[in-house]
Amino acid sequence: MVQKKLDIKGVVCPFCVLNVKTALDEMNAGDELIVVSDHPPAAKDSIPAFARMNGFQCSVQSTESGLWELSIKK
């Protein structure tokens, strides 16, 4: 398993999901993508929804005020 980190702080939707999709497209099954985001709609809604729609496991954790870390397992 490979773990890749994607920092999308300062990026807003729909570009958050596009960046996540691009990163996941380059990864293999079983790999994990760690996404750091400061955009609430992306962290709480659009990225987890995208992950679930594509059959990936996704967990979201607030790391500090206004910052989230998402773990997506492909």
Side-chain angles (χ1 to χ4, degrees):
M1 177 183 91
V2 174
Q3 190 179 67
K4 181 177 180 178
K5 192 157 190 172
L6 178 65
D7 185 335
I8 56 170
K9 292 189 298 277
V11 179
V12 297
C13 289
F15 302 105
C16 294
V17 173
L18 292 173
N19 287 338
V20 168
K21 181 187 181 314
T22 300
L24 287 167
D25 284 347
E26 298 170 358
M27 299 172 72
N28 296 314
D31 290 349
E32 180 180 25
L33 180 64
I34 304 297
V35 182
V36 178
S37 176
D38 61 356
H39 187 57
K44 296 177 181 180
D45 296 318
S46 58
I47 293 173
F50 167 80
R52 284 190 297 272
M53 276 186 357
N54 287 281
F56 307 136
Q57 295 177 351
C58 181
S59 62
V60 181
Q61 179 178 341
S62 177
T63 55
E64 58 185 73
S65 181
L67 198 61
W68 293 267
E69 184 174 282
L70 296 88
S71 169
I72 303 170
K73 293 185 181 158
K74 185 170 180 181

